[in-house]
Amino acid sequence: STPAAEASLKEQLQKELSILRDAQLRKDIVLFMSIYSLTYPELDDKRAGTLKAWASFDFTNLVFTVDKIQSIDPDNAIARVTWYMDTKTRRTQDLSSSSQTFQVRFAKEMGKWRIRSLEEVEP
């Protein structure tokens, strides 16, 4: 693939991830789940786990980076996504910072990139 195609793919993936970020910050579960593929494994568990986390924590800041993007075919891509999170525990108001890196598999569904699967990896 050409550098232009790779840049375009990165932009498209970042656009979907920025919607995911907004959904996290606003605690909008419908918007949050809309970024996940309908074939995402344990989709209901993902939803329940997210709501449970939101009950305990508020995100005060959330930033992501996308790298190592690999186009498999026009409808499938893999990228490494690192999330940097500042959270506040609702009960104690304690602040903490953390980061998580995932290998994310994206699939195109109805013209939009969706998260098909993800696994945590070492940064």
Side-chain angles (χ1 to χ4, degrees):
S1 69
T2 66
E6 281 170 29
S8 167
L9 176 59
K10 181 173 185 171
E11 220 168 83
Q12 290 168 38
L13 299 181
Q14 283 177 322
K15 183 176 155 229
E16 297 305 330
L17 290 166
S18 68
I19 294 170
L20 192 68
R21 175 188 177 275
D22 290 349
Q24 284 267 41
L25 292 170
R26 296 208 310 255
K27 297 189 177 182
D28 181 336
I29 196 65
V30 175
L31 187 61
F32 181 84
M33 294 308 296
S34 76
I35 303 305
Y36 287 85
S37 167
L38 295 173
T39 57
Y40 184 89
E42 286 95 38
L43 198 59
D44 290 344
D45 292 353
K46 179 77 187 168
R47 187 179 196 280
T50 300
L51 287 170
K52 193 176 169 192
W54 288 353
S56 304
F57 298 99
D58 289 326
F59 287 97
T60 55
N61 193 25
L62 194 55
V63 176
F64 65 89
T65 59
V66 182
D67 62 323
K68 297 203 174 155
I69 298 172
Q70 194 185 339
S71 175
I72 298 164
D73 62 39
D75 294 326
N76 291 277
I78 293 176
R80 197 171 74 164
V81 181
T82 301
W83 290 94
Y84 301 92
M85 297 161 276
D86 294 331
T87 55
K88 185 169 70 174
T89 306
R90 298 181 78 167
R91 196 173 50 81
T92 61
Q93 301 296 300
D94 286 347
L95 297 171
S96 79
S97 295
S98 61
S99 70
Q100 280 180 298
T101 302
F102 298 95
Q103 177 91 339
V104 184
R105 189 177 191 115
F106 291 90
K108 213 168 226 191
E109 292 176 6
M110 295 179 289
K112 296 219 188 274
W113 288 104
R114 295 293 173 245
I115 296 173
R116 174 74 186 78
S117 68
L118 50 82
E119 63 179 300
E120 197 163 351
V121 292
E122 292 301 310

